[in-house]
Amino acid sequence: MKKKSKLSSIYLVIVFLILYAPIFYLMFYSFNSGGTMYQFEGFTLDWYRELFDDTRLLIIVLNTVIIALLSAVISTILGVAGALAIYYARRRRVKNTLLSLNNVLIVSPDVIIGASFLILFTIIGIKLGFVSVLLAHIAFSVPIVVIMVLPKIEEMSTSMIYAALDLGASRWDVLTKVILPYITPGIFAGFFMALTYSLDDFAVTFFVTGNGFTTLSVEIYSLARRGVSLNINALSTLLFVFTMILVVGYYFVTKRNNRSNGLGVKL
């Protein structure tokens, strides 16, 4: 049994090394004064300094963060409402159909989704830019939020709701003081997943960005096509650090919620 556990640990270490090695290689050469990724000549912060002097790139970073936060907030609200609607659907066939339609959107290729949004926005006359990117990000984030929230609703005991109703609580009170507090971990999970998906998305965004507006993923792709520059390494390093901060923040939020619910977290 111990031998099996040791082998699985070695396997996991190898997998993580393979996954993280290219990222750490990229981060290491973001400090290279040589300007290439072939030979490390010396430590420098020039690439980071150059990155922060690029006003256009900073505006793109700001646009990306605004799009990610707005789409995450709106999709979380819509996703929670959608999860409640699926849960309280009276007919089982309707419930299964809604859940299947939600899952189809998750597993659909990003290229198909992006092309579909491009056609839709063109037909209804929405100009490609901030609004089109925001709408597209909300659309592909909502199903993710539903998937994260729905299990928390299903594991909630209905006796809590009936007890609140018997004690005179209104439907609104049940929603705001019983259901939402209970499913808060799922809501936070959905919010952070939507946020990271929005920050990372390239394929869908590539189709719906117009002239004069772009996001970081599309810009990095454009920079990479012009040739490898260590600016990209510096930018990617900062993005990786930001993502790690989000993950750590999500961990502590989840840990605090579990403690407040009396579940506790064993480390």
Side-chain angles (χ1 to χ4, degrees):
M1 190 71 182
K2 285 184 178 178
K3 187 178 179 182
K4 194 174 180 180
S5 175
K6 193 175 180 181
L7 283 174
S8 62
S9 300
I10 293 172
Y11 170 76
L12 283 175
V13 170
I14 293 172
V15 169
F16 277 107
L17 281 176
I18 293 172
L19 289 175
Y20 279 88
I23 298 174
F24 289 127
Y25 179 80
L26 180 146
M27 294 171 68
F28 177 71
Y29 276 96
S30 70
F31 301 103
N32 182 19
S33 61
T36 66
M37 291 181 67
Y38 302 110
Q39 187 176 0
F40 192 86
E41 296 181 6
F43 179 85
T44 183
L45 292 175
D46 286 348
W47 304 111
Y48 290 88
R49 199 174 294 115
E50 190 174 309
L51 186 67
F52 283 106
D53 288 340
D54 191 342
T55 309
R56 178 178 169 277
L57 199 55
L58 293 179
I59 292 173
I60 292 172
V61 172
L62 184 62
N63 287 337
T64 306
V65 173
I66 290 172
I67 287 283
L69 286 173
L70 273 177
S71 63
V73 170
I74 297 172
S75 60
T76 300
I77 296 169
L78 296 176
V80 171
L84 288 169
I86 291 174
Y87 179 74
Y88 283 108
R90 292 183 179 180
R91 294 184 179 179
R92 190 170 187 81
R93 182 178 294 178
V94 174
K95 183 175 181 177
N96 290 335
T97 303
L98 290 173
L99 194 55
S100 300
L101 290 173
N102 185 76
N103 293 339
V104 165
L105 287 174
I106 293 177
V107 300
S108 295
D110 287 347
V111 175
I112 303 299
I113 295 175
S116 304
F117 278 120
L118 176 61
I119 295 169
L120 175 67
F121 293 147
T122 305
I123 291 173
I124 62 179
I126 293 180
K127 188 179 178 182
L128 299 183
F130 179 86
V131 175
S132 62
V133 174
L134 179 62
L135 291 175
H137 282 218
I138 291 171
F140 71 67
S141 297
V142 168
I144 298 166
V145 177
V146 171
I147 285 295
M148 301 302 290
V149 173
L150 193 57
K152 291 298 296 179
I153 300 175
E154 289 179 340
E155 77 175 27
M156 183 177 62
S157 173
T158 53
S159 59
M160 294 171 60
I161 297 173
Y162 292 133
L165 292 171
D166 289 342
L167 291 171
S170 63
R171 294 283 181 185
W172 178 252
D173 289 335
V174 171
L175 176 65
T176 56
K177 296 179 181 177
V178 179
I179 298 176
L180 290 182
Y182 188 86
I183 64 172
T184 297
I187 295 174
F188 273 113
F191 173 80
F192 279 108
M193 287 293 289
L195 188 68
T196 51
Y197 266 73
S198 176
L199 287 172
D200 292 341
D201 181 72
F202 166 75
V204 177
T205 309
F206 184 75
F207 280 92
V208 294
T209 50
N211 293 327
F213 183 85
T214 186
T215 62
L216 210 47
S217 57
V218 178
E219 180 65 17
I220 290 175
Y221 174 72
S222 302
L223 291 173
R225 288 188 65 185
R226 293 175 207 159
V228 177
S229 168
L230 296 191
N231 275 346
I232 301 174
N233 294 42
L235 184 57
S236 302
T237 302
L238 293 177
L239 281 176
F240 180 76
V241 172
F242 180 67
T243 306
M244 291 301 294
I245 291 171
L246 281 180
V247 172
V248 172
Y250 169 67
Y251 168 76
F252 281 108
V253 168
T254 307
K255 188 177 176 183
R256 191 183 63 181
N257 285 334
N258 286 340
R259 280 181 177 170
S260 65
N261 289 334
L263 298 177
V265 175
K266 292 182 180 179
L267 296 174

